[in-house]
Amino acid sequence: MAFESELLALVPRLRRFAASLSRNAADGDDLCQAAIERALKSRAQWQEGTRLDSWMYRIMRNLWTDEARARQRAAKTFAPEEEGAHVGHAGDRDIEAAVELSDVARAMAKLPDEQREVIALVLVEGLAYKEAAEVLDIPMGTLTSRLVRGRGALLELLGEAA
């Protein structure tokens, strides 16, 4: 039962990572659900005492890679989900925060996949560089290089939005 409760506690973080991979909240939710389903089916492969979050991020990233390849092969085009109006925000601060968050999300979506994945794992999810490198199955130097380039590009994109 500990596995399920740990997995349940990870859901908000998994949803954030899925949304950053997919650049779309609805696709991110689908990806998150698929990753959780796969984890539950493959529970025996998880080694107790290891980090469940890293294992889940790896599952999710592999699923996303498979999905992206399938989309390319099928040449499918998905229109982005319509963004609804923010109803019920009672104050300028709420509106300003929503606008800033929206700017960050748009800037993140413009980053190349490699940079967006690294930024999502290190800066958003708070993984250590070593853990993020293991999740992405890349050398530490590659991770730091992508992180530096991604941060710079993100700052540049956000500077243009201001």
Side-chain angles (χ1 to χ4, degrees):
M1 201 62 175
F3 177 85
E4 287 86 359
S5 19
E6 281 187 55
L7 187 57
L8 186 60
L10 282 176
V11 169
R13 293 174 58 198
L14 295 173
R15 288 187 72 213
R16 262 195 318 265
F17 184 57
S20 72
L21 286 176
S22 65
R23 301 178 184 169
N24 176 298
D27 288 345
D29 284 343
D30 291 344
L31 177 60
C32 188
Q33 180 179 344
I36 291 170
E37 287 175 10
R38 177 149 315 161
L40 291 171
K41 288 178 186 174
S42 307
R43 179 181 177 180
Q45 294 177 8
W46 177 64
Q47 299 172 0
E48 187 128 2
T50 61
R51 291 193 55 155
L52 182 60
D53 59 347
S54 295
W55 187 65
M56 287 301 302
Y57 291 139
R58 183 172 290 123
I59 288 172
M60 187 173 291
R61 183 171 181 267
N62 290 341
L63 283 169
W64 179 248
T65 301
D66 293 346
E67 173 67 22
R69 287 180 184 149
R71 286 181 184 193
Q72 284 178 340
R73 280 192 302 269
K76 292 181 180 176
T77 307
F78 292 96
E81 181 179 309
E82 240 179 60
E83 291 185 14
H86 293 280
V87 179
H89 287 283
D92 292 344
R93 275 195 241 154
D94 286 344
I95 294 170
E96 287 175 15
V99 168
E100 287 176 15
L101 191 56
S102 179
D103 289 345
V104 171
R106 275 195 296 279
M108 283 280 289
K110 291 179 182 178
L111 294 176
D113 293 343
E114 299 82 18
Q115 292 174 11
R116 196 177 64 258
E117 291 172 347
V118 169
I119 287 176
L121 288 174
V122 175
L123 299 180
V124 177
E125 297 304 325
L127 262 64
Y129 287 18
K130 182 179 180 188
E131 293 166 341
E134 288 172 4
V135 167
L136 298 173
D137 196 27
I138 58 175
M140 182 74 79
T142 302
L143 179 113
T144 55
S145 174
R146 288 179 184 176
L147 187 58
V148 167
R149 286 194 316 269
R151 278 181 179 155
L154 195 55
L155 287 172
E156 187 175 313
L157 289 166
L158 290 172
E160 291 173 6

